Amino acid sequence: MTTSWYEGPLAAFDTETTGADAETDRIVSASVVIQDAPGLRPRVTRWLVNPGVPVPAEATAVHGLTEEHLQRNGRWPAPVMAEVACELETQAAAGRPLVVMNAPFDLTLLDRELRRHRASSLAARLGPVPLLVLDPHVLDRHLDRYRKGRRALSDLCAHYGVVPEGAHDAAADALTSLEVVRALGRRFASRLERLTPAELHGQQALWHAAQTRGPQTWFARGTGPASSGPHWPLRPALPAVA
């Protein structure tokens, strides 16, 4: 019997940052979590980054990482971004789906950090083998589109019966997102099990584009992020200012 993708090997990626703008804010911590099957102990890689810019008090209040702590214990961004991109490349080469909650934020942020510190890009680092991204935010909004209320990670945990590993820690949030995707896959097995991760990746791009074209009043109710454009899982780079 063939194992469904949501019962098989999955990886997950998450970041903590200096703010909520993927174009200008910086990564202060990141994590990749790999789990070969449900219930198995995950393999966790963590990075702590000295971003080289001030860390606003509002950001510290979310993730607990102070500017002083990052200056003392964090590594410089350039080597870290190269290592993170290499790890994602490894997942892509293995054909292992990568869970990223609100992928256009985290993957775009990583892309901009690579451009900023490595004169590269995420696409350039990945090469010809693309990521197979599973975004629980996009999946939930499509598969249960008429449900009212917020859809942050904590809300998805409550809805799908997942016990969070923690809050606002990159490794904990990555693992929690992975568990939400497994639970979501089981909940909607009849609609998802026939799709391969590659097919589902393509469908999510279409679903996200349709979701961002929804009424602006939907965003005003706080049930989704501020409009980030139709691109998924990575926003195109902004043109250089002349």
Side-chain angles (χ1 to χ4, degrees):
M1 181 177 179
T2 303
T3 301
S4 300
W5 58 263
Y6 48 83
E7 302 291 3
L10 294 176
F13 171 61
D14 191 67
T15 65
E16 298 297 334
T17 70
T18 59
D21 188 335
E23 299 295 338
T24 60
D25 279 306
R26 311 298 176 90
I27 293 173
V28 297
S29 70
S31 183
V32 172
V33 173
I34 301 169
Q35 188 184 50
D36 292 325
L40 294 186
R41 184 174 181 176
R43 303 189 297 278
V44 180
T45 304
R46 295 179 173 88
W47 294 270
L48 192 66
V49 186
N50 177 359
V53 300
V55 180
E58 296 83 358
T60 297
V62 172
H63 49 59
L65 298 171
T66 65
E67 187 172 334
E68 180 182 8
H69 177 79
L70 294 169
Q71 289 176 347
R72 183 177 302 169
N73 300 288
R75 297 169 57 203
W76 288 112
V80 171
M81 301 313 151
E83 290 173 16
V84 174
C86 182
E87 184 61 38
L88 297 193
E89 179 186 10
T90 298
Q91 304 314 310
R96 189 177 290 115
L98 182 72
V99 176
V100 190
M101 176 73 179
N102 192 17
F105 177 76
D106 290 85
L107 295 182
T108 298
L109 187 65
L110 175 59
D111 176 79
R112 302 318 189 247
E113 290 277 52
L114 287 166
R115 293 172 187 270
R116 186 178 294 122
H117 296 291
R118 304 293 302 190
S120 184
S121 68
L122 184 56
R125 295 304 301 255
L126 292 173
V129 182
L131 291 171
L132 300 175
V133 178
L134 299 171
D135 187 336
H137 190 259
V138 174
L139 291 169
D140 175 67
R141 285 177 63 192
H142 177 78
L143 294 165
D144 198 0
R145 67 183 69 183
Y146 301 114
R147 188 177 82 251
K148 296 180 179 180
R150 293 176 52 84
R151 298 182 190 241
L153 183 58
S154 59
D155 304 307
L156 298 189
C157 285
H159 183 69
Y160 291 103
V162 172
V163 178
E165 295 294 327
H168 302 300
D169 170 82
D173 284 351
L175 182 56
T176 297
S177 297
L178 187 152
E179 295 293 353
V180 166
V181 164
R182 291 199 189 280
L184 193 151
R186 295 175 191 125
R187 178 80 60 90
F188 297 100
S190 62
R191 298 168 64 183
L192 293 176
E193 62 186 357
R194 295 183 181 87
L195 294 172
T196 67
E199 291 169 336
L200 193 52
H201 179 103
Q203 288 296 309
Q204 287 171 100
L206 298 175
W207 296 341
H208 176 78
Q211 290 162 5
T212 58
R213 290 195 298 268
Q216 290 303 306
T217 53
W218 185 89
F219 294 106
R221 289 198 299 269
T223 52
S227 181
S228 58
H231 301 284
W232 182 95
L234 178 66
R235 303 172 196 162
L238 297 175
V241 178

